[in-house]
Amino acid sequence: MIKKSNQSSSRKTVLDAAEQLFASRGYTAVTLKHIAEHLGIKQASLYYHFPQGKEELYVEVMLWHLEQRRVRLEQLLTEAPPTLKARLQHIGTWLIQQPPLNGGRMILTDLPELSPESSAQLELAIYRCYFAPLEELFAQSREQLSPSLQSDPGFIGGTFLVAIEALYTFKRYGSKTDEALVADMVALLLEGALKL
């Protein structure tokens, strides 16, 4: 029984280290050697937990990471005040405080390096866990949207996510709090920049 607990604990340690490296550098830039060095173990030890190698490890890490985001996004949507603006503020403030998913890099650079099955599995998970909750939020608020955008709540949800990922980098160069940055971005998204 103790052995199983240690195996589970060491597998979790590998997953955590791999998540850190994959999130910051991407699939193509990280090797099993990098992960092993980060953990201070031999590269061959990684095959004990992930016999199929780097792709198996990456897919498991990203599926777990995406599922955690989905669960938290759903909690945030439940906890937030009922207005669209307040819900976006609540979600955006949490997202800007997390390491970015780098969804664009994943889709354009990482997924093409995987087998078609793994790529399709992760692309579906990205949609279901990260994109769909925002698309649904804008679909529920369709009557508040500009008539030209009412038919495409996914476009607005995607724009929100891309803007949040950009704010994660932008906040390094400004003096505003996370909440203030998100509030400005939500106002820009919902109200626009021009005085009419």
Side-chain angles (χ1 to χ4, degrees):
M1 190 71 159
I2 293 174
K3 187 174 183 180
K4 186 170 184 155
S5 175
N6 287 343
Q7 290 172 353
S8 160
S9 170
S10 59
R11 182 179 176 84
K12 173 92 170 85
T13 302
V14 169
L15 289 169
D16 289 344
E19 180 181 12
Q20 261 184 352
L21 294 172
F22 286 136
S24 65
R25 299 183 197 170
Y27 178 77
T28 56
V30 175
T31 65
L32 288 179
K33 182 179 178 184
H34 292 134
I35 296 167
E37 287 173 353
H38 185 79
L39 291 166
I41 63 173
K42 293 180 181 177
Q43 182 176 337
S45 300
L46 294 173
Y47 288 98
Y48 175 77
H49 297 292
F50 301 95
Q52 295 172 10
K54 180 175 136 176
E55 182 170 318
E56 178 188 15
L57 176 57
Y58 179 76
V59 169
E60 186 166 334
V61 162
M62 294 315 300
L63 288 174
W64 182 86
H65 180 82
L66 288 162
E67 183 60 22
Q68 298 311 305
R69 282 194 182 232
R70 183 196 62 76
V71 167
R72 187 64 183 133
L73 282 173
E74 288 181 2
Q75 288 172 344
L76 290 167
L77 284 168
T78 302
E79 297 167 358
T83 67
L84 177 61
K85 190 172 187 175
R87 294 173 112 191
L88 291 174
Q89 179 71 41
H90 198 58
I91 292 166
T93 300
W94 178 76
L95 284 171
I96 198 175
Q97 294 170 349
Q98 308 306 306
L101 181 62
N102 294 313
R105 184 202 61 219
M106 280 183 67
I107 291 168
L108 297 174
T109 306
D110 296 348
L111 296 187
E113 296 297 317
L114 305 176
S115 68
E117 297 80 18
S118 293
S119 180
Q121 183 181 20
L122 283 177
E123 192 163 350
L124 181 61
I126 290 168
Y127 175 77
R128 186 179 63 79
C129 297
Y130 194 55
F131 184 76
L134 274 298
E135 182 179 40
E136 179 61 25
L137 174 61
F138 283 104
Q140 291 170 359
S141 305
R142 185 174 272 126
E143 71 284 347
Q144 297 174 45
L145 302 177
S146 167
S148 64
L149 295 173
Q150 288 180 355
S151 66
D152 198 356
F155 172 76
I156 303 170
T159 300
F160 176 79
L161 290 172
V162 168
I164 288 293
E165 289 213 350
L167 283 183
Y168 183 83
T169 301
F170 181 77
K171 74 180 187 172
R172 294 181 64 179
Y173 303 104
S175 59
K176 290 186 176 184
T177 65
D178 292 346
E179 292 80 7
L181 280 171
V182 172
D184 287 350
M185 191 273 297
V186 168
L188 179 63
L189 181 67
L190 296 179
E191 299 161 19
L194 300 177
K195 284 189 346 184
L196 299 176

